[in-house]
Structures are given as C-alpha cells and as structure tokens.
Amino acid sequence: MKKTGKIILWVIAIFAAIQLIPIDRTNPPVDPEKDFIQVMNTPPKISGLLKRACYDCHSFETKYPRYAYVAPVSWSVKHHINEGREHANFSIWENYNQDLKKNMLEKAAQNIDSRKMPIPGYIVYHPEANLSEAERQLLINYFKELLESETY
C-alpha cells in the first residue's frame, strides 16, 4: 500500500475513534420561577427574539443540531455553550444577585449593539438567529429599560 493510502486509513481510523469520546448534551431542568422570560414577564416579541438568538447558548434550553453530534465539531459546540452559560444563563436568572444581573444586562446590550452577539460563527449555521437592525434595537432598548427602571 502506498504511503498516501496508509495516511488516509489512519485519518479515517482516528476520525472514527474520536466519535467515541462522549459529550454531555443533556440540559438541566428549567425552573420557570427562575427563568428570565418568566420572571421578567418579558413581552412575547422580545421573548421570541431571545429564544431564537440567545437561548441556545445562554440557557438550559439548548437544541443541539445534527452537526453537534460529530467530533471534533461537537467539542467546539459544547465549549461555546458552556462558555455562554458561564457568562449569562437566562434559565437561572433569579440565582444571580442584583449586581450580576445589572452587569449581564449592560453587557448584553453592548454585545448586541457591537454585533459580538450572537456570535458570527453561530449565525452561519443558525441563520434564524441573525437579528435585523430593528430586532437588535428592540433587545437593546428592552435591556436598557430594565436597567433604567432597576427592575431586574
């Protein structure tokens, strides 16, 4: 067998082997009494935007697409979800103190305004999460209203 053939076989074998590395894709249960949308009595239009563009990475309501079951892509997806939940998790909103809530709302408004969120790589595979300028402004205004009224 030629050298190229052996390399291809090794690559296939390694790719097959890494599929056996388990990734935990279970979502913890969501307590509606702690969830941002429920607690804040978020208007339906804003709720829809949050669910569409934010909740996959920033809540316990992640919907894993097919590509999230193929390593090494699955590792990257899981890493992004863990990172997103670490920065802000709408499913445990009521667990945060007032300072953290204020900081998360400020950061959310800034990141949406600067187009850091949703992350461009996410939008490529989830075009439904791509917010129009009007939708971005709706979210930013909502977060700013909450900050101004200090009802978070």
Side-chain angles (χ1 to χ4, degrees), residues 4-21 71-72 75:
T4 307
K6 286 182 181 181
I7 292 172
I8 291 171
L9 284 176
W10 273 108
V11 168
I12 291 170
I14 291 169
F15 181 77
I18 65 174
Q19 302 312 307
L20 301 174
I21 299 171
W75 305 338

Side-chain angles (χ1 to χ4, degrees), residues 27-28 30 35 51 54-63 81 84-85 88-92:
N27 287 317
V30 176
D35 184 69
K51 292 272 186 177
C54 310
Y55 263 55
D56 260 355
C57 293
H58 294 285
S59 79
F60 291 146
E61 298 182 40
T62 305
K63 295 177 190 94
I81 290 166
R85 288 176 179 171
N89 187 334
F90 290 115
S91 293
I92 57 170

Side-chain angles (χ1 to χ4, degrees), residues 103-122:
N103 183 270
M104 285 183 219
L105 290 171
E106 288 171 346
K107 290 275 188 197
Q110 289 170 0
N111 287 334
I112 292 167
D113 189 40
S114 66
R115 297 186 164 273
K116 290 181 182 174
M117 286 290 142
I119 60 173
Y122 180 77

Side-chain angles (χ1 to χ4, degrees), residues 38-108:
Q38 300 300 317
V39 171
M40 302 308 294
N41 199 21
T42 305
K45 189 166 187 161
I46 302 295
S47 298
L49 293 176
L50 288 170
K51 292 272 186 177
R52 194 177 93 211
C54 310
Y55 263 55
D56 260 355
C57 293
H58 294 285
S59 79
F60 291 146
E61 298 182 40
T62 305
K63 295 177 190 94
Y64 290 93
R66 288 185 188 164
Y67 63 82
Y69 290 84
V70 179
V73 175
S74 59
W75 305 338
S76 176
V77 169
K78 185 61 179 172
H79 173 74
H80 280 119
I81 290 166
N82 289 344
E83 210 172 62
R85 288 176 179 171
E86 187 178 303
H87 288 285
N89 187 334
F90 290 115
S91 293
I92 57 170
W93 184 254
E94 278 301 287
N95 290 358
Y96 298 126
N97 66 39
Q98 292 301 102
D99 290 335
L100 279 173
K101 289 177 181 179
K102 180 181 179 190
N103 183 270
M104 285 183 219
L105 290 171
E106 288 171 346
K107 290 275 188 197

